[in-house]
């Protein structure tokens, strides 16, 4: 299996160029469902230790569905096949550029959540125009032992987010363990109450957000991903959900660029334009760096060829 690894603001992406499972015909959504249902071993083999690493997201290339798209892609982490991935799309763009498959300029990519736009500025800088994002429910309460009632917003940004602002715990790298444990409890508590989206969608990411003293930064966030790791980048789909909330509450005008910071200090410059069905079209600019080109080997005699799954 031929892969190229990059990181976007510290968050790793493993682009799978060849050697993935046969997902059959149909839409990317249908192929993504087959991947999730029938190929659990593949997800863990690629991303779990010892071959993968915590927080890594895979980008499995599939044929594009739109004639004007450079490629199709299905994103997954070790726990879930997800709808879209902003940091992953930035990583994918620099990877395709390294391979000579795209050059500087505008391109499109087909994802499970829909077609997204990218602008490759140079070997490392990429702007993503995400799918239309929206605030779905404002002020949903959740009871958390030790914290009482916490209130947050449900937002869609290509994935499903529960966003709490201000954060109940200071968004600081010294609190990553504490925020991870709390965010897992919040996600499980909300999902136990039933779906948040029209398609039976459950919350797959939780965001704690807070303002910071640095005037160059609008806000810093901690983002819990489906695999219970935190996003090292400011999370492209999470930033999209946050933009949708700011727009819906009248707190940010279209076209105004703000900077979102991750819990490790990496940054995306983000803005939005009004969407066509009442949401926003987010624009996310960030940087990715290629780290490795590799051939993954799966020795039948290796007891951990499908990864360490406990
Ligand atoms: O950047 O959208 C994102 C993302 C999703 C999961 C990890 N990163």
């Amino acid at each position: 299996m031929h892969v190229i690894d990059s990181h976007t603001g510290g968050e790793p992406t493993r682009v799978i160029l060849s050697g993935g499972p046969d997902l059959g015909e149909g839409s990317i959504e249908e192929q993504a469902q087959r991947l999730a249902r029938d190929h659990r071993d593949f997800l863990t083999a690629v991303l779990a230790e010892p071959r993968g690493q915590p927080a890594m997201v895979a980008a499995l290339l599939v044929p594009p569905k739109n004639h004007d798209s450079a490629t199709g892609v299905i994103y997954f982490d070790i726990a879930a096949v997800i709808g879209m991935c902003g940091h992953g799309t930035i990583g994918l763009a620099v990877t395709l550029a390294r391979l000579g498959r795209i050059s500087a300029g505008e391109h499109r990519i087909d994802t499970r959540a829909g077609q997204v736009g990218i602008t490759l500025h140079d070997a490392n800088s990429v702007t993503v125009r995400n799918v239309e994002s929206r605030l779905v429910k404002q002020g949903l309460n959740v009871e958390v032992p030790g914290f009482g009632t916490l209130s947050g917003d449900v937002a869609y940004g290509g994935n499903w987010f529960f966003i709490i602002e201000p954060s109940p715990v200071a968004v600081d790298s010294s609190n990553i363990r504490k925020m991870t444990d709390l965010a897992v409890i919040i996600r499980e508590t909300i999902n136990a109450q039933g779906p948040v989206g029209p398609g039976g969608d459950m919350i797959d990411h939780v965001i704690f957000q807070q303002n910071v003293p640095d005037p160059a930064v609008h806000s810093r966030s901690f983002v819990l991903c489906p695999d219970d790791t935190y996003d090292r980048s400011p999370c492209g789909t999470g930033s999209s959900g946050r933009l949708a909330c700011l727009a819906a509450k009248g707190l940010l005008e279209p076209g105004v660029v703000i900077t979102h910071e991750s819990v490790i200090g990496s940054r995306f410059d983000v803005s939005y334009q009004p969407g066509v069905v009442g949401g926003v079209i987010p624009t996310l600019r960030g940087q990715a760096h290629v780290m490795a080109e590799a051939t993954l080997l799966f020795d039948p005699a290796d007891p951990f060829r499908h990864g360490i799954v406990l």
Side-chain angles (χ1 to χ4, degrees):
M1 184 181 299
H2 183 203
V3 301
I4 296 189
D5 293 350
S6 61
H7 77 86
T8 307
E11 178 77 353
T13 305
R14 171 162 282 172
V15 176
I16 302 166
L17 298 165
S18 63
D22 180 1
L23 298 176
E25 298 300 315
S27 66
I28 293 195
E29 174 59 27
E30 288 166 332
Q31 292 178 315
Q33 286 183 15
R34 270 177 225 129
L35 178 64
R37 191 188 58 222
D38 303 334
H39 299 284
R40 180 82 209 126
D41 284 353
F42 171 73
L43 270 57
T44 54
V46 171
L47 292 181
E49 295 177 55
R51 203 176 280 104
Q53 65 183 84
M56 186 173 244
V57 170
L60 174 62
L61 298 193
V62 294
K65 304 300 169 187
N66 289 296
H67 66 89
D68 58 346
S69 286
T71 186
V73 61
I74 299 173
Y75 293 111
F76 60 91
D77 74 9
I78 196 174
V81 179
I82 58 178
M84 222 312 265
C85 183
H87 95 266
T89 303
I90 294 171
L92 173 58
V94 305
T95 297
L96 293 177
R98 180 180 174 83
L99 292 168
R101 289 175 58 170
I102 62 171
S103 50
E106 308 278 323
H107 306 277
R108 291 190 172 84
I109 306 272
D110 289 338
T111 77
R112 186 181 189 182
Q115 191 184 43
V116 302
I118 54 173
T119 305
L120 179 71
H121 302 285
D122 57 38
N124 302 110
S125 296
V126 179
T127 294
V128 178
R129 281 171 306 289
N130 196 8
V131 295
E132 184 157 347
S133 303
R134 61 187 192 279
L135 170 62
V136 175
K137 185 171 178 52
Q138 188 172 346
L140 179 68
N141 288 341
V142 54
E143 299 297 328
V144 181
F147 287 86
T149 305
L150 298 176
S151 182
D153 297 333
V154 176
Y156 175 75
N159 295 307
W160 288 88
F161 292 85
F162 187 65
I163 304 173
I164 301 186
E165 182 184 16
S167 174
V169 176
V171 180
D172 185 89
S173 56
S174 62
N175 284 330
I176 285 173
R177 182 74 265 153
K178 198 171 177 181
M179 290 188 287
T180 301
D181 292 345
L182 177 59
V184 169
I185 292 171
I186 290 171
R187 185 191 63 209
E188 301 309 315
T189 306
I190 293 175
N191 285 340
Q193 294 164 13
V196 291
D201 312 279
M202 309 297 257
I203 294 294
D204 44 33
H205 295 70
V206 174
I207 299 183
F208 299 141
Q209 184 175 335
Q210 75 178 31
N211 294 332
V212 287
D214 183 347
V217 175
H218 174 271
S219 49
R220 179 189 301 150
S221 63
F222 166 91
V223 183
L224 180 82
C225 296
D227 60 1
D228 293 352
T229 62
Y230 70 94
D231 196 333
R232 278 68 170 159
S233 86
C235 191
T237 51
S239 293
S240 301
R242 293 160 68 200
L243 284 168
C245 294
L246 290 171
K249 295 174 186 176
L251 297 174
L252 187 69
E253 293 297 315
V256 176
V257 179
I258 58 174
T259 299
H260 279 168
E261 189 173 82
S262 73
V263 67
I264 67 161
S266 54
R267 295 178 179 183
F268 287 167
D269 291 330
V270 304
S271 64
Y272 75 90
Q273 291 296 330
V276 290
V277 289
V280 303
I281 306 292
T283 297
L284 323 154
R285 182 169 177 157
Q287 295 210 320
H289 297 267
V290 171
M291 301 184 290
E293 292 192 32
T295 303
L296 304 186
L297 305 176
F298 300 87
D299 179 356
D302 177 357
F304 293 111
R305 66 188 173 283
H306 298 310
I308 301 172
V309 182
L310 302 176

